[in-house]
Amino acid sequence: MINNFYYHTPTELVFGKDVINYLPEVIKRYGKNVLLTYGGGSIKKIGLYDKIKELLKDFNVIELAGIEPNPKYETSVVEGARLCKEHHIDVILAVGGGSVVDCSKAISVCAKYDGEGWDLISGKVKAKESIPLVDILTLSATGSEYDSGCVITNISKNDKRGYMDDIMFPKVSLLDPTYTFSVNKWQTACGTADAINHLLEQYFAYPNNSFNDGLLIEGMKTLMKNVKIALEESNNYDARSELMYLCTLACNGILSNGSGSSGWPMHSIEHALSGYFDITHGAGLAIITPRWMKEILSNRTLERFVTLGIRLFEFDSNMDKEEMANKVIDNFYQFFLSIGIPMHLKELGVDENRIEEMAKHILQHDSTLGEFMYVELDEAALIRILKTSM
Ligand code: NZQ
Ligand code: ZN
């Protein structure tokens, strides 16, 4: 059965080699004054920065460089909003991975707000307006290019917040897989782990249906196959293009229309980890995934694992169900390990002594936990997941 649902994505996707050539006509729709936002310099190394400057030579381009992975409110968002106000920016052009796109979304609303921007991000005040946002994606991972969310860290509060609002959907996302050829093995693996986790977060939900299961599981298969190819051959267009397209779809919700909500519990846990320890999002998720699965495995969830076992890993359907569920969990562990992710949080610098504090933080700050969760997690369960992930 397909449950009632509301689905809306206004973002235009333009996908393929050289789609950057559409940039001037896309930007022209919104105005002359452009805020170009980017990260630590990868776009300069691959020649993308020069290409953009050439294409936008007739526009007034102001720059915000140096946006950090796990973008920070106090630095990048505040500075970006200030630049928008000072230069009467008409459109923001975000060029980079999820961090740059997320930061630019936050800037797009904070620039149109006179109070403290964190009020918007923390959900205290509802944003009324935003500056149009266009992006050129350079890393396949988060799906920020096709959703209305951003994830911003307030360093002083150790608070990494997911913030969603329809007014932050990008207007246009230009997706050229060749710009991801230069992504290193670590980010390729972590980005793919992130997208696989997005599919799992939607898969472990009730009610669910066989059609959505098919979309989500086929998505996982595609990601698992192509990441191995991209890790071997960085410039393999076929693999990079499949990774890019799947990552774009994986966080948008379109693959689980009509299914129940899951609460995205692994993301709640990971956001606390990167809020406290600034770890790479996809790595944190990969480590948590098998431990969370072990925690929620019960008679109620068993069939979800069995369907994954049969449809994703092609296990023999006559296998004992509990044994199959445990094999599914082990397969995910081994898969993440095989793409180069260390499967213990301590290897990423997480301090075990702060687990209790993080568990409390998650329960206090994450509104998606609780009644919308597929399997509710209390403080003791969060502590168990974090401890076994160490
Ligand atoms: O800063 P530069 O120099 O650009 O380098 C980046 C950065 O160091 C590099 N990189 C990006 N494109 C590259 C490249 N290096 C070489 N060649 C390229 N073409 O990769 C590093 C990581 O970039 P980042 O943008 O941080 O990675 P990702 O795309 O994984 O984004 C992670 C952030 O997105 C949030 C995460 O929490 C995290 O803060 N998320 C956003 C979501 C959303 N908006 O829907 C959902 C996700 O679940 C996630 O929470
Ligand atoms: Zn994610």
Side-chain angles (χ1 to χ4, degrees):
M1 185 192 73
I2 304 293
N3 266 9
N4 295 4
F5 68 87
Y6 170 78
Y7 171 77
H8 170 70
T9 302
T11 305
E12 293 173 39
L13 297 181
V14 191
F15 192 102
K17 200 167 175 325
D18 294 331
V19 292
I20 194 171
N21 292 323
Y22 294 110
L23 189 63
E25 73 184 72
V26 167
I27 294 291
K28 203 164 67 190
R29 292 185 207 162
Y30 307 104
K32 216 59 194 151
N33 296 336
V34 184
L35 179 69
L36 168 64
T37 57
Y38 55 97
S42 67
I43 70 162
K44 291 193 171 162
K45 285 194 198 128
I46 62 176
L48 181 52
Y49 173 86
D50 289 340
K51 176 85 185 169
I52 291 167
K53 292 295 280 217
E54 179 200 318
L55 286 167
L56 297 186
K57 62 181 181 310
D58 297 329
F59 293 79
N60 177 27
V61 180
I62 306 296
E63 295 184 23
L64 173 69
I67 295 175
E68 326 79 345
N70 297 329
K72 312 296 182 282
Y73 171 70
E74 293 95 327
T75 50
S76 302
V77 177
V78 169
E79 176 60 4
R82 189 190 69 72
L83 288 172
C84 287
K85 287 176 182 166
E86 184 182 327
H87 297 279
H88 306 287
I89 293 297
D90 300 310
V91 52
I92 301 173
L93 173 62
V95 187
S99 293
V100 173
V101 181
D102 278 9
C103 183
S104 306
K105 286 177 174 173
I107 292 169
S108 77
V109 290
C110 291
K112 291 283 185 186
Y113 179 63
D114 286 331
E116 181 64 53
W118 189 253
D119 291 348
L120 305 175
I121 296 165
S122 60
K124 205 165 132 198
V125 176
K126 166 91 179 78
K128 293 200 177 79
E129 255 188 294
S130 62
I131 295 177
L133 170 69
V134 172
D135 65 81
I136 300 173
L137 191 72
T138 65
L139 201 170
S140 305
T142 65
S144 185
E145 65 277 13
Y146 201 42
D147 70 29
S148 63
C150 65
V151 188
I152 302 295
T153 300
N154 187 316
I155 318 167
S156 61
K157 301 181 198 299
N158 284 330
D159 196 2
K160 188 176 185 190
R161 284 281 172 129
Y163 164 46
M164 292 180 81
D165 192 320
D166 276 8
I167 63 174
M168 293 193 301
F169 272 116
K171 296 286 181 206
V172 183
S173 290
L174 298 171
L175 307 172
D176 181 341
T178 63
Y179 292 137
T180 66
F181 285 178
S182 55
V183 176
N184 65 22
K185 284 184 196 277
W186 171 247
Q187 292 295 342
T188 299
C190 291
T192 308
D194 184 18
I196 290 171
N197 193 277
H198 293 165
L199 299 173
L200 285 170
E201 296 271 34
Q202 294 167 86
Y203 174 84
F204 280 96
Y206 181 85
N208 44 64
N209 64 72
S210 177
F211 176 65
N212 284 350
D213 284 354
L215 294 174
L216 296 166
I217 291 171
E218 203 50 41
M220 292 178 218
K221 263 192 197 166
T222 305
L223 290 166
M224 290 168 107
K225 176 179 148 209
N226 285 294
V227 70
K228 297 255 174 156
I229 300 170
L231 287 172
E232 287 297 313
E233 265 178 80
S234 198
N235 292 9
N236 185 309
Y237 185 86
D238 292 1
R240 290 290 190 185
S241 64
E242 294 203 22
L243 290 176
M244 189 171 237
Y245 184 48
L246 254 299
C247 289
T248 295
L249 291 184
C251 201
N252 162 276
I254 192 170
L255 303 179
S256 60
N257 278 336
S259 290
S261 115
S262 74
W264 289 59
M266 293 181 276
H267 273 68
S268 296
I269 299 170
E270 198 296 312
H271 286 166
L273 285 168
S274 38
Y276 276 69
F277 296 102
D278 213 359
I279 66 172
T280 303
H281 175 64
L285 288 172
I287 296 169
I288 293 162
T289 299
R291 281 64 183 227
W292 172 81
M293 286 178 164
K294 275 219 158 29
E295 178 66 35
I296 65 144
L297 175 57
S298 69
N299 285 342
R300 192 182 137 224
T301 61
L302 188 59
E303 286 301 328
R304 290 277 78 199
F305 285 96
V306 170
T307 303
L308 265 188
I310 296 169
R311 291 176 76 168
L312 177 61
F313 296 120
E314 296 170 10
F315 292 153
D316 181 348
S317 56
N318 294 318
M319 192 190 289
D320 173 75
K321 290 185 174 182
E322 205 148 320
E323 186 191 339
M324 189 177 323
N326 280 305
K327 271 191 84 135
V328 165
I329 297 172
D330 193 48
N331 270 25
F332 274 107
Y333 184 102
Q334 295 303 336
F335 168 76
F336 290 131
L337 201 58
S338 76
I339 59 170
I341 299 182
M343 288 303 285
H344 295 277
L345 290 174
K346 61 175 177 299
E347 296 175 76
L348 301 183
V350 173
D351 176 0
E352 185 155 18
N353 294 320
R354 298 192 77 182
I355 284 180
E356 277 81 6
E357 187 186 340
M358 283 192 284
K360 284 199 172 54
H361 182 97
I362 295 164
L363 288 172
Q364 271 166 16
H365 289 89
D366 214 310
S367 54
T368 61
L369 288 178
E371 59 179 313
F372 300 114
M373 275 177 96
Y374 173 57
V375 177
E376 199 161 338
L377 299 176
D378 59 15
E379 195 176 320
L382 291 170
I383 290 173
R384 270 195 302 276
I385 293 167
L386 286 165
K387 284 207 161 145
T388 51
S389 299
M390 282 307 295

